[in-house]
Amino acid sequence: MPELPKIISVDDHVIEPPGVWADRLPARYRETGPRVVRAPAEMDFVGGRFTFRMAEEGPPCDWWVYEDLRRPLTRLDAAVGYERDDVQVVGVTYEEMRPGCHSVPERLADMDANWIQSSLCFPTFPRFCGQTFTEARDRDLALLCVRAYNDWTIEEWAGGSGGRLIPLIIVPLWDPALAAAEVRRCAALGVHAVCFTEIPPRLGLPSVHTDHWDPFFAACAETGTTINMHIGSSSQMPSTSEDAPAAVGSTITFANTCFSLADWLMSGVFTRFPDLTIAYSEGQIGWIPYVLERADTVWKENRGWGGVADRVTRPPSELFREHVYGCFFDDPHGVRSLEEIGVGNVTYETDYPHSDSTWPHSRELAERQLAGLPAETVEAVVRGNAIRMLHLGPDGLWTGAAR
């Protein structure tokens, strides 16, 4: 196999430095906006979810505090550098994390060590699609927090990276018109990627089967902004019972992506917005061929009574290949199915710094899984498709950054 092209990872994460909001909110909000405090943490896993509370005794932990929310930073957030068996849901401080979790120079060094040229990073405290601010009581402050995060990720995180860190914005999900305005504001600054929830009703929001989101979708289509949906961006992970261990949900995380893709393919959104692009993050890809096959069968055989005859005018598999990207980091079955999925619909990720991350072995893993494939296929999967999806320069760098 020729030398592996430098990877563009479309799913990594940033742990926001403590000053993101304190440095950017108006003075009157700096004591009520998101801020970091230090206190011990107690944690449990109950009903398929981890629960957290501040404690009086124990090792120190850094917490984000905002309205009634107390959100600790955990080793699960910043797992790189630890042996797998040492990755536990325990509280950590910034000093205990690998600096690349939150600092640009160290992140770039860790990318170099992992054969990564460029990286798209999801937020941590705002959660994967900004749910933290959508759930807030004070919507005026929440909107300022959304804009402050976006300004930080554009100006400091991506802007200080020489084009290697690609900005991914959040929007005020509680108002599609405001969301559309934020997409356009950031697109004017060179941003072409926005977070969205995989299953909106799980956040108490209208589904993609309504026209509620049309202003937001229209803004994304007009500006070439790809809608990125990370597993867990519905604030629920799949599981089977309240007493199932976390490993059950971790095994079937792709199910949320599967449900979401069926929603979008049968929604008619792609009929109304033929220039819209969506992308799924951390959902892997091996399950996609069956879902497309089944969706085509349902569309052909059952559309008379299935409620889609007037909104889905073409086979779902065709819509998928024109509008949807999936991504993977360790999916040998998916690699064997690339032709069925569509070589042009698959991207690569490393999930830095989470517990599933392949850092610092992403290059070796990609070389092993992609061995024997044509050079042009490897190029498309590890970088070419990401360049097209994110409107990067031909060199794989974000063109809105200082170069």
Side-chain angles (χ1 to χ4, degrees):
M1 179 179 179
E3 183 175 67
L4 184 78
K6 280 291 187 79
I7 295 167
I8 297 175
S9 175
V10 301
D11 173 29
D12 294 316
H13 301 265
V14 59
I15 296 177
E16 299 81 16
V20 168
W21 289 277
D23 293 345
R24 291 182 175 273
L25 289 175
R28 68 183 183 279
Y29 284 122
R30 286 177 188 160
E31 295 303 315
T32 55
R35 57 208 182 276
V36 173
V37 302
R38 185 164 289 187
E42 293 180 354
M43 307 186 188
D44 294 304
F45 185 73
V46 179
R49 292 171 177 251
F50 288 101
T51 61
F52 312 95
R53 56 191 172 276
M54 288 184 174
E56 295 184 2
E57 298 181 353
C61 171
D62 282 335
W63 295 72
W64 280 101
V65 175
Y66 172 55
E67 292 191 341
D68 295 333
L69 178 64
R70 304 292 182 268
R71 201 285 193 192
L73 293 173
T74 73
R75 193 176 296 174
L76 206 59
D77 296 319
V80 291
Y82 290 96
E83 295 296 328
R84 292 296 195 193
D85 288 347
D86 292 330
V87 178
Q88 307 289 333
V89 187
V90 295
V92 296
T93 64
Y94 279 92
E95 291 80 8
E96 294 171 311
M97 300 176 193
R98 191 171 183 86
C101 294
H102 54 83
S103 173
V104 171
E106 288 86 353
R107 173 62 67 93
L108 297 180
D110 281 353
M111 289 163 61
D112 288 339
N114 203 29
W115 203 245
I116 306 301
Q117 181 192 27
S118 306
S119 169
L120 184 75
C121 296
F122 284 83
T124 297
F125 173 69
R127 313 216 303 277
F128 293 148
C129 66
Q131 304 101 298
T132 294
F133 302 123
T134 299
E135 295 167 356
R137 292 189 304 273
D138 186 336
R139 289 288 170 79
D140 292 335
L141 173 56
L143 182 59
L144 291 172
C145 287
V146 166
R147 291 172 176 165
Y149 176 83
N150 292 340
D151 289 344
W152 171 80
T153 198
I154 295 167
E155 297 168 4
E156 295 189 33
W157 183 249
S161 71
R164 296 183 63 189
L165 296 171
I166 305 159
L168 173 61
I169 63 166
I170 57 177
V171 292
L173 292 173
W174 61 88
D175 187 322
L178 288 176
E182 187 64 7
V183 166
R184 291 189 172 96
R185 181 182 81 89
C186 294
L189 300 172
V191 178
H192 294 285
V194 62
C195 300
F196 191 61
T197 172
E198 60 202 353
I199 307 174
R202 291 185 178 174
L203 300 181
L205 300 169
S207 79
V208 296
H209 300 288
T210 69
D211 61 3
H212 174 83
W213 298 104
D214 282 8
F216 169 65
F217 294 158
C220 292
E222 290 165 14
T223 59
T225 300
T226 297
I227 296 173
N228 295 263
M229 293 172 281
H230 196 284
I231 57 167
S233 57
S234 58
S235 293
Q236 294 182 33
M237 297 298 283
S239 190
T240 55
S241 64
E242 290 200 355
D243 58 352
V248 171
S250 186
T251 301
I252 59 175
T253 50
F254 74 92
N256 277 7
T257 310
C258 176
F259 297 162
S260 179
L261 178 60
D263 247 357
W264 278 81
L265 292 178
M266 298 299 186
S267 68
V269 170
F270 297 135
T271 303
R272 300 198 304 279
F273 301 100
D275 296 324
L276 193 64
T277 299
I278 68 171
Y280 287 106
S281 306
E282 207 172 322
Q284 309 294 353
I285 59 173
W287 53 273
I288 292 175
Y290 171 74
V291 171
L292 296 181
E293 182 179 81
R294 177 60 183 164
D296 279 358
T297 297
V298 169
W299 177 80
K300 179 181 178 181
E301 303 294 340
N302 299 340
R303 63 176 180 254
W305 58 266
V308 296
D310 60 343
R311 61 175 66 183
V312 183
T313 58
R314 297 167 54 206
S317 61
E318 290 185 12
L319 298 176
F320 174 86
R321 291 189 175 91
E322 291 181 9
H323 297 274
V324 185
Y325 291 91
C327 75
F328 75 100
F329 54 83
D330 187 6
D331 189 347
H333 177 73
V335 172
R336 293 193 296 271
S337 305
L338 276 176
E339 292 298 329
E340 296 176 76
I341 299 165
V343 170
N345 299 89
V346 174
T347 56
Y348 201 71
E349 64 167 292
T350 75
D351 199 30
Y352 182 106
H354 284 183
S355 61
D356 275 337
S357 178
T358 54
W359 185 91
H361 307 296
S362 300
R363 179 182 185 179
E364 298 94 310
L365 183 61
E367 288 175 335
R368 186 166 64 249
Q369 292 192 58
L370 301 174
L373 294 177
E376 59 270 22
T377 297
V378 175
E379 170 82 19
V381 169
V382 303
R383 61 182 290 110
N385 294 336
I387 289 173
R388 185 174 68 253
M389 178 182 112
L390 298 169
H391 298 268
L392 305 178
D395 54 3
L397 299 176
W398 176 53
T399 57
R403 299 282 294 278

